[in-house]
Amino acid sequence: MTTAVKTQTTGSAMKAPPTVSQQEWEAAWRQLLVKEKEFTRSRDALAAERRRMPWMPVEKTYMFEGPQGKVSLLDLFEGRKQLIVYRAFYEPGVFGWPEHACRGCSLGADQVGHLAHLNARDTTLAYASRAPQADIARLKKRMEWEMPWYTLTDSFDKDFGVDEWHGHNVFIRDGEKIFRTYYINNRGDEAMGTVWSYLDITPLGRQEVWEDSPEGYPQTPTYKWWNWHDSYEAEAAPNEKWVQVSDAGEKAFRKASAEMKQEQGE
């Protein structure tokens, strides 16, 4: 039986899917779950390919304006191994200026999770725009955004494909040598914001033992590095209690997954 539902946006009738029993619904869910697991595995495989992307040396010196004055691209790493730079449009000529940044970029900024989790994986996220620092500081305060946000002063945006449209550029450093490793824009930007979406575009990935990464890449036991966002520095090593809890949770998950496979005859 199909159901006609009126939408709030248009008021027109929406042809909804069939209404079914609990047993029929669970059967449909399990059928779709097979495809969703395939999607998850393909997403993991794609991230593994990103970790094998060639590195491009950044040989030009780029400078930015920060809250404390001039800083280099190397400074944006804040001493960490990896850097993700998002080009946000906030400057004269952008719709919303000077009260607001671009609506799309602002929606993306609202999605950014707590940066402590990225930092715990040796990764820094930074935003960059053409707006002066005084305007950026005012905007961040108004919108309650915490990410470091710098002012572009040279051709960085043009050189890295973000002078006319938003995008994330990913870098890794070896001492003071910087390499570009990945770039994502357009609809790829829509999914960014979680710690996982960011780590999956970095050359080192989530750095957990289950990942398919090149030999020698840093990897730690799954779940064990997770922490409260205000406790990473206080607890450099995994908490013993959390190790026990996460081990039990993983064991229960594996058991449930095995039972489901058995039911499906896999």
Side-chain angles (χ1 to χ4, degrees), residues 75-126:
D75 292 326
L76 268 58
F77 282 79
E78 297 181 351
R80 300 184 183 94
K81 185 75 172 175
Q82 303 186 127
L83 170 67
I84 303 170
V85 180
Y86 176 68
R87 187 348 178 167
F89 280 84
Y90 178 50
E91 56 212 53
V94 171
F95 175 68
W97 170 266
E99 289 79 13
H100 281 292
C102 157
R103 284 184 174 179
C105 295
S106 298
L107 192 154
D110 282 337
Q111 296 179 168
V112 175
H114 203 288
L115 299 176
H117 305 295
L118 276 180
N119 297 164
R121 294 279 90 176
D122 214 7
T123 304
T124 298
L125 172 69

Side-chain angles (χ1 to χ4, degrees), residues 61-83 85 124-126 148 150 171 173 175-178:
T61 298
Y62 294 98
M63 300 301 297
F64 303 80
E65 188 76 29
Q68 307 304 321
K70 290 286 185 180
V71 291
S72 66
L73 180 61
L74 183 63
D75 292 326
L76 268 58
F77 282 79
E78 297 181 351
R80 300 184 183 94
K81 185 75 172 175
Q82 303 186 127
L83 170 67
V85 180
T124 298
L125 172 69
Y150 300 93
F171 304 91
R173 70 181 182 93
E176 295 189 354
K177 296 179 180 178
I178 301 173

Side-chain angles (χ1 to χ4, degrees), residues 151-184:
T151 301
L152 294 158
T153 66
D154 49 33
S155 62
F156 176 89
D157 50 354
K158 184 176 182 179
D159 292 349
F160 291 99
V162 288
D163 56 325
E164 297 181 355
W165 199 242
H166 58 86
H168 288 81
N169 276 283
V170 186
F171 304 91
I172 194 169
R173 70 181 182 93
D174 179 11
E176 295 189 354
K177 296 179 180 178
I178 301 173
F179 303 88
R180 186 192 196 192
T181 65
Y182 195 66
Y183 169 61
I184 188 169

Side-chain angles (χ1 to χ4, degrees), residues 12-252:
S12 59
M14 179 182 71
K15 187 177 180 181
T19 301
V20 298
S21 67
Q22 179 179 344
Q23 184 178 10
E24 291 173 310
W25 184 91
E26 289 183 353
W29 173 75
R30 289 177 184 274
Q31 186 176 8
L32 185 60
L33 185 60
V34 173
K35 294 182 179 180
E36 290 184 336
K37 287 186 175 183
E38 291 175 354
F39 171 76
T40 298
R41 286 190 287 267
S42 66
R43 183 187 61 197
D44 292 340
L46 182 60
E49 288 191 44
R50 292 191 191 108
R51 291 191 287 278
R52 291 167 171 82
M53 275 278 293
W55 294 3
M56 183 195 82
V58 178
E59 298 174 336
K60 188 174 179 179
T61 298
Y62 294 98
M63 300 301 297
F64 303 80
E65 188 76 29
Q68 307 304 321
K70 290 286 185 180
V71 291
S72 66
L73 180 61
L74 183 63
D75 292 326
L76 268 58
F77 282 79
E78 297 181 351
R80 300 184 183 94
K81 185 75 172 175
Q82 303 186 127
L83 170 67
I84 303 170
V85 180
Y86 176 68
R87 187 348 178 167
F89 280 84
Y90 178 50
E91 56 212 53
V94 171
F95 175 68
W97 170 266
E99 289 79 13
H100 281 292
C102 157
R103 284 184 174 179
C105 295
S106 298
L107 192 154
D110 282 337
Q111 296 179 168
V112 175
H114 203 288
L115 299 176
H117 305 295
L118 276 180
N119 297 164
R121 294 279 90 176
D122 214 7
T123 304
T124 298
L125 172 69
Y127 270 43
S129 298
R130 287 280 171 187
Q133 278 297 297
D135 292 300
I136 290 174
R138 186 182 68 250
L139 178 70
K140 286 178 62 179
K141 182 178 180 180
R142 174 181 176 178
M143 303 300 285
E144 299 181 342
W145 293 330
E146 299 295 332
M147 71 286 287
W149 198 319
Y150 300 93
T151 301
L152 294 158
T153 66
D154 49 33
S155 62
F156 176 89
D157 50 354
K158 184 176 182 179
D159 292 349
F160 291 99
V162 288
D163 56 325
E164 297 181 355
W165 199 242
H166 58 86
H168 288 81
N169 276 283
V170 186
F171 304 91
I172 194 169
R173 70 181 182 93
D174 179 11
E176 295 189 354
K177 296 179 180 178
I178 301 173
F179 303 88
R180 186 192 196 192
T181 65
Y182 195 66
Y183 169 61
I184 188 169
N185 66 353
N186 294 328
R187 287 199 62 199
D189 269 349
E190 294 176 5
M192 305 309 296
T194 68
V195 62
W196 311 123
S197 62
Y198 286 128
L199 290 179
D200 282 348
I201 65 171
T202 64
L204 300 183
R206 304 185 187 191
Q207 303 165 52
E208 295 184 340
V209 293
W210 63 269
E211 285 184 305
D212 175 12
S213 293
E215 183 179 353
Y217 274 43
Q219 289 185 317
T220 59
T222 309
Y223 305 129
K224 305 305 182 289
W225 65 274
W226 297 10
N227 211 336
W228 297 292
H229 71 246
D230 63 350
S231 299
Y232 279 109
E233 293 183 5
E235 297 181 23
N239 180 277
E240 291 184 9
K241 182 63 176 178
W242 171 240
V243 170
Q244 296 173 6
V245 170
S246 59
D247 281 346
E250 186 171 4
K251 184 178 180 181

